[in-house]
Structure formats: C-alpha cells, structure tokens
Amino acid sequence: MPSILIVGASAKRHNFGNKCVRAYQEAGYEVFPVNPRAGEIEGAPVFAEIAAAPPADRAALYLPPERLAPLLPELAKREFPEGVYFNPGTWTPQLLDEARALGIAVRQACAIVALGRSPSEFP
C-alpha cells in the first residue's frame, strides 16, 4: 500500500492539512499525520514528530516556512522515493534552496492536485 507522511496535518476539516489526509485516504494510501498535539485525525493515529512516524513513499508539508525551516534536517534524514511536496504557502525560495542542499527531493506543488483531485472536493 502506498504511504504518505503529512506534516502539519490538522483535525480541522477546513484546513488543507486535513483535506490532504482525507484525499490520500480515499486514494488508498496509508496516511501518517504529523502534529505535535498527537491524538487522531480522520481515524489515523497522529505522530508527534517526524522521527516517530513510519517510513513513507512521499511527504506533504502544511506548515508556514518559518515553522518548516527547523524541520528540514529531520526530513532530510528520511527517504521519500516519490518526493516531498511543498504545498502553496509553505515555502520561500531560500527554504527550497536549503531543502535541496540537504538532499530533499523537492516537489513544489499541491499534494492533493498531484493525486488528480482538487482541494475543493473536500469541504
């Protein structure tokens, strides 16, 4: 089963971090939400940090650049064969340069659209 790590996953259904969880669940992915509050999101157990989550095929990021920057080294320690999706609003040119310098396979795109879906399909 394909898998995705969603950093910045949210329990709030109107947030993109929640829409991504639902989109990937519907697409048959095993979803690993990451949020320091832990708990459960859309029935999936939440991991408090990236290092605690199982390996995944891809990652999707839903945090602002200033909160993502300190997480880049932790992301770089992991392998994501299908890349790391820096969704709109999560990056700056400098952040992407840093990510690439750390060896992160940057995908500068919406992770939901990458499934052939639209975020608007997940109210």
Side-chain angles (χ1 to χ4, degrees):
M1 171 183 293
S3 58
I4 184 168
L5 183 79
I6 302 175
V7 179
S10 173
K12 297 175 184 173
R13 291 178 64 85
H14 66 278
N15 285 357
F16 285 94
N18 181 281
K19 292 174 185 239
C20 186
V21 170
R22 291 184 280 143
Y24 276 83
Q25 285 175 331
E26 282 188 18
Y29 277 69
E30 189 169 6
V31 175
F32 306 125
V34 177
N35 185 308
R37 293 188 193 103
E40 187 176 281
I41 295 175
E42 301 296 330
V46 177
F47 298 90
E49 55 189 31
I50 294 166
D57 298 311
R58 64 175 64 177
L61 309 178
Y62 288 95
L63 293 173
E66 62 274 8
R67 290 189 51 208
L68 276 180
L71 301 178
L72 291 181
E74 193 62 40
L75 281 167
K77 292 178 186 175
R78 309 282 303 260
E79 287 189 34
F80 299 101
E82 297 176 11
V84 176
Y85 285 82
F86 285 76
N87 287 279
T90 66
W91 57 271
T92 63
Q94 179 183 348
L95 185 77
L96 294 178
D97 288 345
E98 262 183 72
R100 288 184 183 107
L102 289 169
I104 295 171
V106 171
R107 306 284 182 266
Q108 191 178 344
C110 174
I112 299 170
V113 172
L115 282 176
R117 305 289 299 271
S118 168
S120 65
E121 295 176 52
F122 303 92

